[in-house]
Amino acid sequence: MIRTFFLPGRVCSSKAIREIAAQADTRYTMICLKPTIEWVYLGQERMVQVMEMTGATMVYSDHFSKVQKDDVQCTIEAPVIDYQIGALRDDFDFGSVLLWDTQKLKELVAEIDTEYEFAGLYDLRLRASQVNSCQSSAISHIPEYLYYEVEEDTRKSGEKLFDYVDPRNRAVQVEMEECVTAYLKRIGAYLEPGVYKELSAVSCQLSDYPVTASVIIPCKNRARTIGDAIRSALSQKVREGYSFNVIVVDDNSTDGTAEIINNLSLTLPSREGTPELIYIAQDKSWHAIGGNWNVAIHDPRCGKYAIQLDSDDTYFDETTVQKFIDAFETGLEPEQAIHSAPKYGMVIGTYQLTNMAGEVLPPGVIDHREWTDENGRNNALRINGLGAPRGFYVPLLRMINYPTTKYGEDYAVGLRISRDWPIGRIYEVVYNCRRWEDNSDANCDIIAMNRNNLYKDRLRTFELLARLQSTIGNW
């Protein structure tokens, strides 16, 4: 009833997928991505049972992982998450066992019209989700532990986070982008390049804002790093005709963060031209990072542009804020910009990974070259983030607002802006992303990773549905 094939990982060629389909001669076809699978008693039978019950094209399940810890093999639970129409990232974790309905597999493979060297399996599962897009069971998750696999990649979550932007993986990423773009075109969710709403419809006069730009620093319990971040922001230099301030939003810190901020404000020089340090203490209700951003951008002291600085990071040098202003106001003089909308609704810079001592960590510079003017907003539905630091045209951001969450809030805003307004890029390092043990994504357990991935997939689902029903150009 089942014939099993081995693929060495999720990156494979269309040729390999064709060969599997050609050789498949049983009712069900099992593709294993790791060579050693041990089954829970009646585990395979359960996968078949669920496939027959649901009429799914493919089913996958939770499993156990065998990992080495201090030279001792341990077995841990490895639950995976439900597939949804927004689960478009090419690194979606199905586990190592994919059970396919052979007839449906052969029909899908017959439709493949592009030969990929790396995106063969990605292409296949996107086609599977497309064929039965109205059926939630097209790709079906069984929330039961049905087998054991050996986990060989034992890096922490923070070490895996940047694999997709590692220059060594560039050829793979280019092909994955081609694959998802073709999929979006097939389902009618592709956005044509250069077709945007007018930013001039979001009116702004610089006279309505106290400064040109505000550096926004949300924080909670960052006593070790908040001083570095604030000093980095205050050290910025802008040209004559421009100005900026620094807004720090403290979300009920209990570790002395607030005292450090207040002490810094007391030591600021009072001379003209010194940027103002604004401290906002949140109330006791739920805010998270997104809510802290919303408080900052709606504060009447916020500038025309809001520029991100995380509380454990620093700017690369004293020119970052000016570079963002220049990117927004390309071709405009300060006196023109007062009464003009900027060129972009959002600008994203380039950062480098460093440790707390400022030493560069691999893969080094993260410039998100996968973003292009032609296809960046389509590819945004595949990747897990758009880059940093981020700058925003405040009137637009006040209209959109951040979701009140502590993870993925920046991705949600970037997706929303990319649908209707242009996003600019700065392809030189302007930011130091400092990795340390208290980064929110440094060492997530599998439950936290699943929660984060499920939320970002949900954001993609929201955005995909909006793109399917939107007509660009109508306000």
Side-chain angles (χ1 to χ4, degrees), residues 320-340:
T320 295
V321 167
Q322 186 63 59
K323 285 176 179 174
F324 269 88
I325 294 171
D326 291 344
F328 275 112
E329 301 187 345
T330 301
L332 296 175
E333 296 297 328
E335 60 272 15
Q336 295 176 301
I338 291 176
H339 302 292
S340 301

Side-chain angles (χ1 to χ4, degrees), residues 13 45 172 322 459:
S13 67
E45 289 80 357
V172 175
Q322 186 63 59
L459 292 176

Side-chain angles (χ1 to χ4, degrees), residues 1-7 18-32 39 44 48 51 97-102 105-106:
M1 182 178 286
I2 300 176
R3 183 169 180 181
T4 301
F5 297 86
F6 170 63
L7 279 176
R18 291 185 188 279
E19 290 175 351
I20 289 174
Q23 296 176 40
D25 54 6
T26 52
R27 184 172 179 183
Y28 300 111
T29 298
M30 184 170 289
I31 298 178
C32 294
W39 287 93
Q44 292 188 62
V48 169
M51 177 162 277
V97 176
L98 315 177
L99 183 66
W100 293 82
D101 180 295
T102 300
L105 171 67
K106 288 179 177 288

